[in-house]
Amino acid sequence: MKKSYLGAMFLLSSGVLANPYKSELVDVSFQIQEGKETFQLVCQPKLTMGELPKNWVDACNDIGKKLLELAVESGVKVEPVDNAFGLAGDLAQKVSSDLPENVVPTQIISREFGG
């Protein structure tokens, strides 16, 4: 199956300079599978473990919730949740604390939304 990644920025006006969906810690984007009416959110840390705060997954969840709310405002049938990355985020948070300081954690992917 072909997957396409769409940046979260496509939903926002290009005139927005102070983007509340942007973080210096993480990038959050949409992952859409062709032929499906669902999507997932993907959170990719930008910094090494030594530079990330201990609660870096909170930034993923905060941005994820805002993107889900924006999707609802755009007419997508999805229920916004506080913890968009759910158990995957909880596990990533717990496991990443054991990583060396110079390692950048890999991406975490939410459950499917929409449909």
Side-chain angles (χ1 to χ4, degrees):
M1 282 186 221
K2 182 180 175 186
K3 293 182 181 179
S4 33
Y5 293 88
L6 301 175
M9 295 299 294
F10 86 94
L11 292 172
L12 302 173
S13 165
S14 59
V16 176
L17 296 177
N19 180 2
Y21 304 98
K22 191 173 184 178
S23 168
E24 292 184 13
L25 303 176
V26 296
D27 281 326
V28 179
S29 60
F30 291 95
Q31 176 176 293
I32 302 170
Q33 292 191 2
E34 195 172 294
K36 291 183 103 178
E37 294 182 14
T38 61
F39 64 91
Q40 294 172 297
L41 297 174
V42 178
C43 183
Q44 174 68 50
K46 296 180 186 180
L47 306 172
T48 65
M49 281 309 303
E51 299 170 312
L52 283 171
K54 294 197 184 302
N55 60 346
W56 65 272
V57 174
D58 289 347
C60 297
N61 284 321
D62 291 344
I63 294 170
K65 181 180 179 181
K66 290 175 185 173
L67 291 175
L68 292 173
E69 289 170 348
L70 186 59
V72 169
E73 290 173 15
S74 300
V76 177
K77 293 181 181 177
V78 63
E79 185 175 328
V81 294
D82 290 334
N83 193 0
F85 290 91
L87 293 176
D90 294 344
L91 180 62
Q93 185 71 69
K94 183 177 181 181
V95 172
S96 66
S97 64
D98 294 332
L99 294 173
E101 286 190 3
N102 61 343
V103 171
V104 176
T106 60
Q107 65 188 14
I108 53 176
I109 301 174
S110 73
R111 65 177 178 85
E112 289 188 348
F113 293 100

